[in-house]
Amino acid sequence: MKSYFLLLRYALILSMVVLSGGIVAQQKPDGNALLYFVAKDTVQHEIIGYFYNIRGPMYSDPEAPRFIIASRNQNLLLGIGGYVQLRGSYDFRGVCESDDFYAYDIPVPNAGNPTQALRMNAGSSRLFMRLLANTKRVGRLTAYIEADFLGDSRAFRLRQANISFLGFTFGQALTTFVDGKAYAPSLDQNGGIVALNQRNPLIRYERSFGKGFRFAVAAEFPSFSGSYQDGITAKATAQIPDFPAYIQYKWKNNHIRLTGMIRDLPYKDVLHNSYHRVFGVGGKVSGVVQLAPALQGMFYASYGKGMATYSLDLAGAGMDLLSDYNRPGQMFAPRTAVYYGGFRIDFSPHVYSGLTYSFLRLYTKDSFTDNPDFDASTFYKYGQSATAAIIWKFLPAASCGLEYMWGERTNYDGQSGHANRLYATIRYNF
């Protein structure tokens, strides 16, 4: 019976928290209680700072949690947060046929296709929980779970779930191939046609060394797609993880990072009932440069073979592996080149802007494009996009924004399709 009264007591406290919008530090808890609610200003400042320092770098990442549950000795803290976001978009003079902006999804040519489209949803709202634990054996341990509502039919969808300690990360997290800080602010969920937001199950080790240096190496569950021919080629089960790694140098508010990846792309030769694999490799340079007190520049460029999945616009489009028309039953990995540049401009502590330009080019073999079976009128050659966003933080926990996005898809026959989009969002963080 005592436990029921204790549960009721904490339920009442939580209700007052929700209704009042803040937390008042309670009296010293019962000796049998394991956890109690606290206000931010009653928790050690370095612990609160840690919550802020480990938040994601992208605009779409949640801010530090506003609700914290702590153990009496503050060796165990649970932060609960997220945001509610309404996002609307209007396409004109060409339509991108997806909620997020992909040049790949722009019809080519525009003629004969819709030229306007209105969308609105709250599916990009997010929830997360982050646990910080100070342990004797492994030091500080963190556990993180994040989800949104962008699954099939707006279903609740797991984005990240991982545990970190001693420099290791185990679980599902943003791929090591991505430099998240090298993206300018954008209201689009991904931030442009090449701003990859890929999350993989992985094991990663990261460590700082020297003055300003940091490196990481990981084994990640591979994600790939191919264009298979019925009865000739088929997808095979992955047997070897992707291996990305980076080394970074940081000084003041600037950094530069070199990233590389090797990967194994298996497939089945149905004609000869045999299995084969193609070696994929990619490299990337990225960084952030503080150009002026209120102006930051972001950039990256990548090039690789079998790296289409890590180029966003082609992720899931079947471009990691293509069937070789001149060798029935065989496949090859096309090459991709990606270029991205962006700026963040801070007009005031509460108003800032993001400007970006992205370009993605797909390269195939001459024997592939010269074959009579190749349809140049439908096959993607390159895509590009440009964005301009303005974001206003009108309350400490609330923001709104407007963004213009332009995109173009060009196929191998030279025909292009264009789309223009206006985004509007309003968000409340908790």
Side-chain angles (χ1 to χ4, degrees):
M1 182 65 68
K2 182 178 179 181
S3 61
Y4 289 110
F5 284 114
L6 192 60
L7 181 62
L8 179 60
R9 175 186 175 187
Y10 290 134
L12 290 173
I13 293 172
L14 182 59
S15 299
M16 288 187 290
V17 167
V18 174
L19 291 174
S20 65
I23 299 179
V24 178
Q26 68 175 82
Q27 299 295 321
K28 184 176 180 180
D30 189 305
N32 295 324
L34 294 176
L35 301 175
Y36 63 104
F37 298 94
V38 297
K40 279 185 176 182
D41 57 5
T42 67
V43 183
Q44 299 174 24
H45 292 297
E46 62 269 22
I47 296 177
I48 293 297
Y50 188 76
F51 272 108
Y52 279 91
N53 291 336
I54 59 178
R55 64 155 297 194
M58 300 181 187
Y59 172 75
S60 58
D61 291 325
E63 295 185 1
R66 301 181 68 202
F67 299 97
I68 297 174
I69 304 173
S71 62
R72 284 189 296 162
N73 59 11
Q74 297 189 6
N75 280 334
L76 186 69
L77 292 99
L78 177 66
I80 303 173
Y83 57 75
V84 177
Q85 177 171 270
L86 177 65
R87 185 176 63 160
S89 66
Y90 177 71
D91 290 4
F92 61 98
R93 295 179 61 187
V95 169
C96 174
E97 297 178 336
S98 56
D99 287 345
D100 293 313
F101 200 84
Y102 299 91
Y104 187 89
D105 290 331
I106 298 174
V108 178
N110 288 120
N113 292 289
T115 58
Q116 300 178 47
L118 177 67
R119 296 179 178 85
M120 184 180 295
N121 70 78
S124 56
S125 302
R126 294 194 194 176
L127 291 171
F128 77 88
M129 293 189 293
R130 190 185 298 277
L131 175 73
L132 302 182
N134 292 316
T135 68
K136 292 181 178 180
R137 291 190 176 182
V138 299
R140 177 163 288 165
L141 179 148
T142 69
Y144 184 68
I145 295 178
E146 178 187 277
D148 63 16
F149 300 86
L150 290 176
D152 295 338
S153 301
R154 305 288 181 224
F156 198 53
R157 177 186 70 164
L158 179 69
R159 291 178 57 85
Q160 299 190 68
N162 52 74
I163 302 169
S164 300
F165 58 91
L166 296 178
F168 288 95
T169 299
F170 304 88
Q172 182 165 303
L174 190 68
T175 174
T176 311
F177 195 71
V178 167
D179 182 358
K181 293 185 178 180
Y183 296 145
S186 173
L187 303 183
D188 187 77
Q189 186 79 0
N190 298 307
I193 67 167
V194 300
L196 184 65
N197 201 4
Q198 177 78 21
R199 300 168 301 279
N200 293 333
L202 55 79
I203 300 173
R204 177 167 59 215
Y205 180 69
E206 295 178 273
R207 183 169 182 172
S208 299
F209 67 98
K211 187 177 180 180
F213 287 94
R214 186 173 183 82
F215 82 93
V217 61
E220 303 188 2
F221 186 80
S223 176
F224 64 93
S225 64
S227 296
Y228 307 100
Q229 293 179 288
D230 291 340
I232 299 177
T233 56
K235 186 172 183 177
T237 303
Q239 300 176 1
I240 301 174
D242 291 345
F243 292 104
Y246 75 75
I247 184 167
Q248 174 180 292
Y249 176 64
K250 181 179 180 181
W251 69 103
K252 296 183 180 179
N253 293 326
N254 314 277
H255 82 257
I256 186 167
R257 178 183 293 189
L258 300 177
T259 309
M261 175 181 284
I262 57 174
R263 60 195 321 235
D264 178 72
L265 302 168
Y267 68 92
K268 182 179 181 179
D269 178 350
V270 179
L271 284 180
H272 304 94
N273 194 29
S274 59
Y275 289 86
H276 304 275
R277 49 177 30 97
V278 175
F279 179 73
V281 61
K284 180 177 181 179
V285 58
S286 59
V288 176
V289 180
Q290 191 76 42
L291 301 171
L295 177 64
Q296 276 188 321
M298 296 84 166
F299 69 91
Y300 68 83
S302 68
Y303 184 82
K305 180 180 76 169
M307 296 292 295
T309 288
Y310 290 91
S311 303
L312 187 63
D313 206 31
L314 298 180
M319 298 297 184
D320 290 305
L321 287 170
L322 298 177
S323 296
D324 192 332
Y325 292 134
N326 293 329
R327 297 185 300 163
Q330 302 295 302
M331 303 190 77
F332 71 96
R335 294 166 293 131
T336 52
V338 168
Y339 308 98
Y340 173 93
F343 296 96
R344 173 177 172 141
I345 307 170
D346 290 278
F347 299 106
S348 76
H350 307 294
V351 180
Y352 58 97
S353 179
L355 307 172
T356 74
Y357 173 76
S358 306
F359 182 86
L360 168 60
R361 174 75 156 87
L362 177 70
Y363 298 90
T364 66
K365 299 196 306 185
D366 290 339
S367 59
F368 181 80
T369 56
D370 293 340
N371 193 282
D373 292 331
F374 176 72
D375 187 357
S377 66
T378 62
F379 201 85
Y380 181 105
K381 185 175 184 180
Y382 66 84
Q384 55 184 329
S385 71
T387 72
I390 184 77
I391 298 166
W392 175 34
K393 196 168 185 178
F394 61 92
L395 290 174
S399 62
C400 60
L402 292 171
E403 182 172 37
Y404 167 72
M405 301 190 76
W406 167 86
E408 177 189 67
R409 169 178 169 157
T410 299
N411 289 341
Y412 260 83
D413 66 347
Q415 291 195 82
S416 299
H418 303 83
N420 296 267
R421 174 171 292 185
L422 288 176
Y423 271 121
T425 65
I426 185 167
R427 175 195 298 182
Y428 185 80
N429 299 282
F430 58 87

